[in-house]
Amino acid sequence: MPEGDVQAADMRRHAAAFVARVASSRLPLDYSVASLRVVDFLIDGLRKGSPGRRASDAVLFGLGAYVGEVLARRAGAEWMDLDATQRAYFAQRVGMRMPDGRVWSPLGKVVNRYEVGPEESLQTFYLTLPGRSRACAAL
């Protein structure tokens, strides 16, 4: 997690910075729904790459920011600063508001995917996500 106060207004920039950092690896992070499968694959690699050690919070944060941007671009979600109750529930400072008003935490979903494993697939999360805008839901 980056130092200081993370705010919704900065999340698009965090996602873009993460994509720029990994661009040399030629990963297809194009903000498509299909790219969430790549994120799942990356997290699997992090889980296997260092047994007994936790992945860098900065890497998990970058992946979470990226997943949030996929929600923004493909599902019509908007970044939001979470209130105190939401922060306590999600254990994050920012989240996403879906077009139907539901609130989700892509940062928390990435941590869950890392800690729990494949049953917390981010691509499946997106594909089964209630509240997506039909106009934005295209693959």
Side-chain angles (χ1 to χ4, degrees), residues 20-100:
R21 279 195 311 273
V22 300
S24 64
S25 62
R26 301 181 194 258
L27 293 171
L29 296 179
D30 59 3
Y31 300 99
S32 68
V33 175
S35 72
L36 294 176
R37 189 168 172 194
V38 174
V39 176
D40 281 333
F41 177 77
L42 289 171
I43 293 173
D44 285 339
L46 291 171
R47 288 171 50 88
K48 292 175 187 171
S50 54
R53 293 182 53 209
R54 178 162 168 91
S56 158
D57 286 342
V59 171
L60 294 176
F61 178 82
L63 289 167
Y66 176 80
V67 170
E69 272 304 295
V70 173
L71 291 175
R73 295 174 186 209
R74 302 294 176 208
E78 294 181 359
W79 285 104
M80 62 178 283
D81 294 313
L82 299 175
D83 64 29
T85 302
Q86 293 163 330
R87 283 194 306 270
Y89 180 77
F90 290 117
Q92 302 293 333
R93 298 192 59 74
V94 296
M96 304 295 296
R97 182 175 307 283
M98 300 302 291
D100 72 350

